Amino acid sequence: MTTAGTLETVSENCSHGGVQGVYRHASASTGTQMTFSVFVPPHEDGAKLPVLWFLSGLTCTHANVTEKGEFRAACAEHGVIFVAPDTSPRGEAVPDDEAYDFGQGAGFYVDATQVPWAQHFQMRSYIEQELPALLAEHFPADMQRQAISGHSMGGHGALTIGLRNPDRFRSISAFSPIVSPLNCPWGDKALGGYLGDDRSDWREYDACALIEDGSRHANLLVDQGTADNFLEEQLKTDLLVDACKSADMPADIRMQPGYDHSYYFISTFMAEHVGWHARHLQG
């Protein structure tokens, strides 16, 4: 029987001189089996390597970025471990919704408080506490050198987790993130469903609100495509620009002409993000 802290190896493949693995374990946070991927680049025996977390978007699993993200060459070059968790608990006993933007595949990286979601949808605790402990136990990870990134819903996760834990994550980046769930339909549905109607409870899961409420980080990089069909209604990058400007918080927020919401966009800039994080993870 698999217990928390014990890993089952689903697959391991050699890549760029390192090992791309997929692993499964019984999660105490979600009460389910959880699957995640880890790329460990080539390294000397006994070496501890910095860690880059990547949180994926709506409908995704660990597999989307693992198969399409094109991160391994850059991670091998810079000596960075790349970790890709799933986006939610899964299984027959886990509540779900018929829509793609709520339920399984749409955990929004929150700790749910509402029935029936609270029993399993504890993704904040899973990402911030349980999975890092598992990583430190089983992989050559230097947990004093961590960075975080993500896409769309996962960009929201990276921004909020990074802003809440600035001493843990040396740098934060995002691709087409949901910057303010308080101000978009995806956020209204997800945070209302998982956390209830009191919108003050949502603020710790909203990057712009966190900045307004005093959270700061010195190293923030965001890339957003101008041809992204979710930009105006859901992502609203301009709100993050305004929040950073009002707080006098430095941020490199770049609008990339012609790029959409897909992994063609992410993979184009992924190596640059890995290298940017690697510079902040040195030493």
Side-chain angles (χ1 to χ4, degrees), residues 141-163:
D142 181 354
M143 305 307 285
Q144 300 304 310
R145 294 187 290 159
Q146 297 185 68
I148 193 165
S149 184
H151 170 234
S152 194
M153 178 186 73
H156 141 77
L159 291 174
T160 55
I161 290 171
L163 285 165

Side-chain angles (χ1 to χ4, degrees), residues 49-55 75 80-85 127 132 135 141-150 154 157-159 161-163 165-174 217 219-221 273-282:
L49 306 178
V51 177
L52 175 58
W53 297 85
F54 187 91
L55 307 183
C75 286
V80 174
I81 292 174
F82 190 98
V83 185
I127 298 297
L135 188 76
D142 181 354
M143 305 307 285
Q144 300 304 310
R145 294 187 290 159
Q146 297 185 68
I148 193 165
S149 184
L159 291 174
I161 290 171
L163 285 165
N165 299 278
D167 294 333
R168 180 185 303 184
F169 298 102
R170 295 192 183 184
S171 49
I172 307 167
S173 78
H217 204 288
N219 304 311
L220 175 61
L221 171 65
H273 279 235
V274 171
W276 179 83
H277 284 293
R279 289 192 292 276
H280 292 292
L281 291 168
Q282 296 302 316

